[in-house]
């Protein structure tokens, strides 16, 4: 579609003149310049391809695929296609049209220019392109952390939690989980300080949760809460996969806060986190090396008491994960064999622990020649 920078008759007259004075290349270059001047980038893309077909001696109108072209022309035409897509996409990026630029960069497998522009993107007052940018950044994994930040900033934590659950790939997932934990923790601290200031007529200077709660049981009435408890439970569940101590400490703060809530807000979870706040507190303390033995004993007891046919393998999986993350790989292998007897993850645990004799033995027992050979070689 031509943009009306000049009347159509004037454009065609200009093209006639360019052809008369300079020939085929000149008329196509004149049309390309018109596209650049009017920012008609989709038409520019087609013009660049037509220029390539002219240089390669191909029919100027071509609606088939590149595979339909003569073999000798396919690679040069492919290179022209890549260059045309890059130029077109960059034109849209330079115009601030991220959503229109992305299909061209996606077609050539180069998300980096789009990711760079998204990194500095801030929505305008009308926010008309915000959701399109979030879709590209997060759901298509072009710049997932920035996309997630845009959701938190513009749509709130509820939408962010939902989007996190729908996020399809691992890239950036850890950073997004940290953003959720830090955001909810900051909201909790802010709301607690505000509640204390209303009661005591002076806002506390500390941002330490334990200090804010100390000697203030009045914060937790029957109907009192300071962050949405459904958000609290969701973020605690997400926190279990994190490994850095600062994030785990903030998650532990959230779990400890939850333990103070009235029974009205004590959610029931799935095994082995039936007592959501208490069980998460024990698990997170274990990961942080605080009462690790007590955490292992707690979740071992839950695994032993579990009926897999009724509740699934969750308690055994949590125990094995806890032992593995504590570096107790041999115990993790034993627990996996006891509570997850058919799990292929046991092979990976043997690998991590360096117990290649057991890896070989398990491979033999389970009729898995790959595991057997891996153990045999690595011994």
């Amino acid at each position: 579609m031509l943009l009306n920078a000049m009347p159509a008759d004037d454009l065609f007259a200009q093209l006639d003149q360019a052809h008369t004075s300079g020939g085929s290349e000149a008329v196509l270059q004149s049309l390309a310049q018109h596209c650049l001047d009017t920012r008609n980038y989709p038409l520019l893309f087609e013009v660049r391809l037509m220029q390539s077909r002219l240089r390669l001696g191909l029919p100027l109108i071509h609606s088939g695929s590149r595979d339909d072209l003569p073999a000798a022309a396919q690679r040069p035409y492919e290179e022209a296609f890549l260059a045309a897509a890059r130029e077109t996409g960059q034109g849209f990026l330079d115009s601030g049209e991220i959503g229109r630029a992305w299909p061209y960069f996606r077609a050539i497998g180069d998300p980096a220019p789009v990711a760079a522009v998204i990194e500095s993107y801030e929505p305008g007052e009308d926010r008309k392109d915000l959701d399109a940018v979030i879709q590209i950044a997060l759901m298509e994994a072009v710049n997932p952390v920035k996309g997630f930040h845009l959701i938190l900033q513009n749509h709130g934590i509820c939408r962010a939690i939902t989007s996190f659950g729908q996020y399809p790939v691992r890239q950036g997932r850890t950073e997004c989980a940290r953003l959720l934990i830090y955001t909810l923790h900051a909201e909790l601290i802010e709301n607690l300080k505000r509640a204390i200031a209303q009661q005591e007529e002076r806002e506390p200077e500390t941002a330490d949760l334990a200090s804010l709660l100390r000697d203030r049981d009045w914060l937790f009435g029957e109907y009192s809460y300071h962050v949405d408890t459904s958000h609290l439970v969701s973020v605690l569940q997400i926190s279990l996969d994190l490994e850095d101590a600062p994030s785990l400490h903030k998650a532990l703060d959230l779990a400890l806060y939850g333990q103070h809530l009235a029974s009205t807000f004590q959610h029931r979870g799935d095994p082995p986190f039936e007592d959501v706040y208490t069980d998460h507190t024990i698990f997170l303390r274990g990961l942080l090396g605080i009462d690790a033995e007590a955490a292992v004993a707690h979740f071992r007891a839950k695994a032993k008491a579990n009926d897999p046919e009724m509740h699934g393998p969750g308690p055994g999986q949590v125990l094995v994960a806890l032992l593995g993350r504590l570096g107790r790989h041999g115990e993790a292998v034993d627990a996996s064999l006891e509570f997850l007897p058919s799990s292929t993850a046991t092979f990976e645990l043997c690998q991590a622990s360096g117990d290649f004799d057991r890896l070989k033995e398990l491979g033999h027992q389970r009729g898995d020649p790959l595991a057997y050979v891996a153990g045999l070689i690595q011994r």
Side-chain angles (χ1 to χ4, degrees):
M1 174 180 171
L2 291 173
L3 300 184
N4 296 323
M6 64 174 68
D9 288 345
D10 291 348
L11 171 60
F12 293 128
Q14 176 182 300
L15 295 176
D16 282 337
Q17 182 179 357
H19 185 257
T20 299
S21 60
S24 303
E25 283 285 0
V27 67
L28 284 172
Q29 187 53 43
S30 176
L31 181 55
Q33 188 59 54
H34 170 79
C35 293
L36 288 168
D37 293 341
T38 58
R39 298 183 180 180
N40 190 340
Y41 301 116
L43 182 59
L44 175 65
F45 176 74
E46 299 298 339
V47 172
R48 294 304 191 203
L49 293 183
M50 185 173 284
Q51 287 177 307
S52 173
R53 292 196 291 272
L54 177 66
R55 290 193 297 271
L56 293 170
L58 300 171
L60 295 187
I61 301 296
H62 175 74
S63 59
S65 70
R66 279 161 280 170
D67 294 337
D68 298 332
L69 300 174
Q74 287 181 11
R75 183 167 182 177
Y77 193 72
E78 172 74 13
E79 292 172 353
F81 177 89
L82 295 175
R86 190 176 303 280
E87 181 183 16
T88 304
Q90 190 61 51
F92 279 126
L93 286 182
D94 293 342
S95 300
E97 297 180 82
I98 296 171
R100 299 186 72 185
W102 171 235
Y104 293 94
F105 285 104
R106 180 175 55 197
I108 61 176
D110 183 14
V114 180
V117 172
I118 288 176
E119 185 62 33
S120 58
Y121 166 82
E122 294 297 335
E125 289 186 9
D126 57 8
R127 305 201 304 176
K128 65 178 182 179
D129 55 348
L130 174 62
D131 287 340
V133 172
I134 288 173
Q135 172 69 25
I136 294 165
L138 181 63
M139 304 311 290
E140 300 200 44
V142 173
N143 191 332
V145 178
K146 176 67 176 191
F148 201 72
H149 176 76
L150 289 169
I151 293 175
L152 275 170
Q153 187 179 50
N154 295 278
H155 295 305
I157 196 166
C158 186
R159 169 89 172 265
I161 290 170
T162 301
S163 298
F164 186 89
Q166 297 170 342
Y167 183 51
V169 296
R170 294 296 302 176
Q171 179 191 350
R173 192 171 180 84
T174 297
E175 292 82 355
C176 293
R178 286 197 197 104
L179 270 175
L180 271 176
I181 289 168
Y182 275 70
T183 299
L184 188 63
H185 188 275
E187 180 183 329
L188 174 61
I189 296 298
E190 180 183 349
N191 291 345
L192 284 170
K193 292 174 73 172
R194 185 181 298 116
I196 293 168
Q198 291 175 350
Q199 177 74 15
E200 300 178 0
E201 298 183 353
R202 183 172 178 269
E203 184 174 291
E205 295 181 3
T206 183
D208 175 68
L209 181 73
S211 299
L212 291 172
L213 300 185
R214 189 176 298 120
D215 299 325
R216 293 188 174 107
D217 291 343
W218 54 264
L219 283 166
F220 298 98
E222 184 179 359
Y223 303 106
S224 299
Y225 61 92
H226 306 88
V227 289
D228 187 302
T229 56
S230 66
H231 297 169
L232 186 61
V233 171
S234 295
V235 170
L236 281 175
Q237 292 169 342
I238 290 167
S239 75
L240 299 182
D241 291 330
L242 292 177
E243 297 184 0
D244 66 294
S247 296
L248 290 174
H249 275 291
K250 289 193 180 297
L252 179 57
D253 270 358
L254 296 175
L256 290 169
Y257 167 80
Q259 285 187 275
H260 285 80
L261 291 168
S263 58
T264 310
F265 305 110
Q266 294 297 323
H267 296 268
R268 186 77 176 168
D270 295 324
F273 296 100
E274 297 94 334
D275 188 343
V276 170
Y277 302 120
T278 298
D279 289 328
H280 278 84
T281 296
I282 293 170
F283 189 87
L284 291 164
R285 283 170 64 86
L287 288 182
L288 287 164
I290 308 168
D291 295 333
E293 288 298 334
V296 170
H298 179 79
F299 287 100
R300 187 183 301 279
K302 283 178 172 282
K304 284 182 177 294
N306 180 55
D307 180 352
E309 292 187 3
M310 182 176 295
H311 300 297
Q317 291 172 337
V318 168
L319 173 63
V320 170
L322 176 61
L323 288 166
R325 290 180 63 178
L326 290 172
R328 296 160 63 163
H329 299 295
E331 292 179 69
V333 172
D334 292 337
S336 182
L337 290 171
E338 181 178 357
F339 301 113
L340 310 168
S342 61
S343 173
T344 56
T346 311
F347 294 145
E348 296 179 20
L349 290 167
C350 291
Q351 178 86 25
S353 67
D355 192 345
F356 303 121
D357 283 327
R358 183 176 281 187
L359 178 58
K360 174 175 170 285
E361 179 186 347
L362 281 173
H364 185 271
Q365 289 175 358
R366 296 184 181 182
D368 190 320
L370 285 177
Y372 183 87
V373 168
L376 184 67
I377 292 172
Q378 293 178 101
R379 284 174 60 197

